[in-house]
Amino acid sequence: MNMTLRYLLAVFGVVITVHYVLSFTHTDYRRATSLNSLTSHFKGVTPADITPIPDRYYPPFSNESLTVDHRANATFVILARNSDIDGTVRSIREIEDRFNRRFRYPYVFLNEESFSDDFKKRVSVLSAAKMEFGTIPRDHWYQPSSIDEKKADAGRNRMVEQGIIYGGSLSYRNMCRFNSGFFFRHPLMEKYRWYWRIEPDVHFHCDIRFDPFVYMEENNKVYAFTIAMYEFEKTIPSLWSHVKDFIKLHPEYLAKDNAMRFLSDTGGDTYNLCHFWSNFEIADMSFWRGEAYTKFFEYLDDKGGFYYERWGDAPVHSIAAALFAPSSQIQFFDQIGYEHNPYTHCPRNEDTWKEEKCTCDPKRNFDYDGYSCMSKWDQV
Ligand SMILES: Nc1nc2c(ncn2[C@@H]2O[C@H](COP(=O)(O)OP(=O)(O)OP(=O)(O)O)[C@@H](O)[C@H]2O)c(=O)[nH]1
Ligand SMILES: [Mg+2]
């Protein structure tokens, strides 16, 4: 045997000896160098190969679990299509992280078609809270037979020519009418008084460590918003004249200290287009279910403007809240950092922004944008 071979054998012998010694004395080393472990790099890891981490490494969330003793009769409501699943998952993930893992309010998902098993499966893993999936009754969603389809078609074509966003869309109109007059009447919603509306692909930028529902209940609030802005006038050309006619018919529904100043710069003669952006809403459904709003919605629905024009649920809800409730019952939540593309409300209060670990840039707060109606609200 030449010297080189002898030397190599000696090194090999030492390596083998050290390996055996380490295998007996160090469990981790034995696991890492087992044949199974080494070959798994080549054949792919199967669940059975993964060493489970013992339960003792998962301490209970003592300050994150359900410790609150008083909760409101409230739910999240999410209207979505099966194809909205990815954005829906992202929104739920954020509201859970920022708020709901502490409070565990339930979710109601609504859709005019039945939700797919995949949709249900993917949202179910995101929260410990109860989730219910509802199909919308046909007459709560589709264009009613009372609508003159020729006139509606002409209205859609006109809006397409004018380049109005969703101007030609029938499903968008169904959605706006449903959100205006029907979501709170869905059988799955009936048992709740309060709701928080969430859309796919929105962002919650700050921790929300207080309970907005309980706050609203205990402080006699009806409607809460985070962003207020101007509506596209071309989507609602006749809405305000119908609102004025309704008020003449039913002056008894006007609240004493209402927020008409938010809606009109001319004492109610003309609409300044300000409204609360309804993709975020926390509100008391007894207000929508009450006499004033029920009559108001029926009156507007009868005029057909959800289809002949393109009335949004945002101006319809906002006008009702501003007129039929005293302004003191409308709540602006500066504390809730919220984004629906392309606008963000970022807390104006710097302490809130710091303490709640907000991810939004305060300089990009829509409150100060020329297109925001916050300055009008501040006057109210
Ligand atoms: N089931 C169902 N949900 C819908 C339909 N159209 C819209 N939605 C939902 O209704 C809500 C509002 O719709 P969006 O398309 O976000 O309308 P928008 O916020 O005015 O417009 P974007 O700026 O595009 O977000 C969202 O929660 C949607 O998922 C529909 O045809 N069917
Ligand atoms: Mg949206």
Side-chain angles (χ1 to χ4, degrees):
M1 232 190 274
N2 69 28
M3 280 299 285
T4 316
L5 191 59
R6 239 189 255 170
Y7 178 70
L8 280 175
L9 277 176
V11 171
F12 184 68
V14 170
V15 168
I16 293 289
T17 312
V18 171
H19 169 70
Y20 274 104
V21 170
L22 284 175
S23 295
F24 278 110
T25 55
H26 289 77
T27 325
D28 291 346
Y29 177 83
R30 187 167 60 240
R31 259 191 220 138
T33 57
S34 72
L35 198 61
N36 240 347
S37 167
L38 293 172
T39 54
S40 70
H41 289 290
F42 304 101
K43 70 181 183 198
V45 181
T46 66
D49 297 327
I50 298 170
T51 315
I53 296 172
D55 285 350
R56 67 177 179 282
Y57 292 108
Y58 292 90
F61 269 148
S62 55
N63 59 353
E64 302 280 15
S65 60
L66 197 59
T67 51
V68 277
D69 46 14
H70 175 55
R71 295 195 310 152
N73 178 18
T75 183
F76 291 103
V77 61
I78 302 185
L79 175 70
R81 293 154 286 214
N82 285 311
S83 58
D84 292 320
I85 181 62
D86 290 332
T88 306
V89 163
R90 287 191 284 268
S91 292
I92 298 174
R93 180 72 258 170
E94 287 194 28
I95 194 68
E96 283 292 317
D97 287 349
R98 290 302 203 163
F99 170 76
N100 204 43
R101 62 180 175 161
R102 294 191 187 89
F103 295 94
R104 288 210 210 145
Y105 281 104
Y107 292 81
V108 172
F109 297 88
L110 299 175
N111 186 353
E112 83 278 17
E113 292 176 354
S114 28
F115 280 107
S116 65
D117 290 341
D118 184 59
F119 187 102
K120 293 188 214 171
K121 183 177 161 188
R122 287 192 54 197
V123 297
S124 301
V125 298
L126 302 171
S127 173
K130 178 165 102 172
M131 292 185 170
E132 292 184 289
F133 302 86
T135 308
I136 296 166
R138 289 190 65 80
D139 58 331
H140 287 189
W141 185 265
Y142 293 101
Q143 178 174 306
S145 54
S146 56
I147 294 293
D148 174 350
E149 172 51 21
K150 249 191 169 161
K151 189 173 161 188
D153 188 47
R156 291 196 296 271
N157 292 337
R158 202 169 42 247
M159 288 198 190
V160 172
E161 279 162 24
Q162 293 173 325
I164 293 171
I165 184 167
Y166 300 118
S169 170
L170 180 56
S171 67
Y172 192 85
R173 288 173 169 80
N174 294 338
M175 179 274 286
C176 290
R177 177 170 173 264
F178 173 77
N179 275 330
S180 298
F182 296 97
F183 78 92
F184 49 88
R185 290 162 54 185
H186 190 280
L188 292 180
M189 296 294 285
E190 274 171 356
K191 54 186 171 293
Y192 299 112
R193 176 173 167 197
W194 300 91
Y195 71 96
W196 182 334
R197 175 172 158 185
I198 292 190
E199 282 198 4
D201 265 321
V202 297
H203 299 287
F204 294 95
H205 281 291
C206 310
D207 283 347
I208 306 161
R209 289 178 301 136
F210 71 104
D211 185 331
F213 296 120
V214 172
Y215 174 85
M216 288 180 69
E217 187 164 59
E218 291 183 356
N219 291 279
N220 196 25
K221 305 288 180 182
V222 159
Y223 187 92
F225 70 98
T226 52
I227 290 176
M229 65 168 67
Y230 295 96
E231 181 58 295
F232 300 118
E233 188 161 18
K234 285 176 180 161
T235 64
I236 49 159
S238 74
L239 177 61
W240 191 250
S241 70
H242 294 306
V243 171
K244 287 199 290 186
D245 292 345
F246 180 80
I247 296 170
K248 267 185 219 135
L249 270 176
H250 290 289
E252 73 276 18
Y253 293 144
L254 272 187
K256 199 162 151 272
D257 294 304
N258 62 54
M260 179 63 100
R261 283 186 63 194
F262 174 67
L263 304 174
S264 175
D265 308 332
T266 52
D269 186 31
T270 52
Y271 181 32
N272 63 16
L273 307 174
C274 282
H275 64 286
F276 309 120
W277 214 22
S278 62
N279 48 67
F280 173 102
E281 273 183 342
I282 303 177
D284 181 349
M285 285 184 279
S286 21
F287 181 74
W288 307 132
R289 292 166 182 152
E291 188 182 306
Y293 188 76
T294 304
K295 289 260 170 60
F296 180 64
F297 175 74
E298 282 169 3
Y299 185 86
L300 295 182
D301 198 30
D302 186 55
K303 301 298 169 201
F306 289 104
Y307 291 97
Y308 301 139
E309 297 178 5
R310 207 217 68 191
W311 296 350
D313 51 281
V316 172
H317 279 186
S318 305
I319 290 169
L323 296 183
F324 308 146
S327 59
S328 59
Q329 289 195 302
I330 299 178
Q331 173 72 25
F332 165 59
F333 275 130
D334 182 52
Q335 299 79 357
I336 301 182
Y338 173 73
E339 175 175 356
H340 175 299
N341 187 37
Y343 301 124
T344 300
H345 165 71
C346 198
R348 299 186 208 177
N349 181 320
E350 202 177 332
D351 291 341
T352 305
W353 183 77
K354 271 191 209 149
E355 279 161 27
E356 307 309 338
K357 305 180 178 71
C358 299
T359 49
C360 49
D361 178 354
K363 292 194 292 297
R364 277 194 51 215
N365 187 359
F366 183 69
D367 296 18
Y368 308 124
D369 191 290
Y371 197 55
S372 163
C373 281
M374 264 330 276
S375 56
K376 289 264 174 347
W377 180 252
D378 290 341
Q379 286 165 24
V380 176

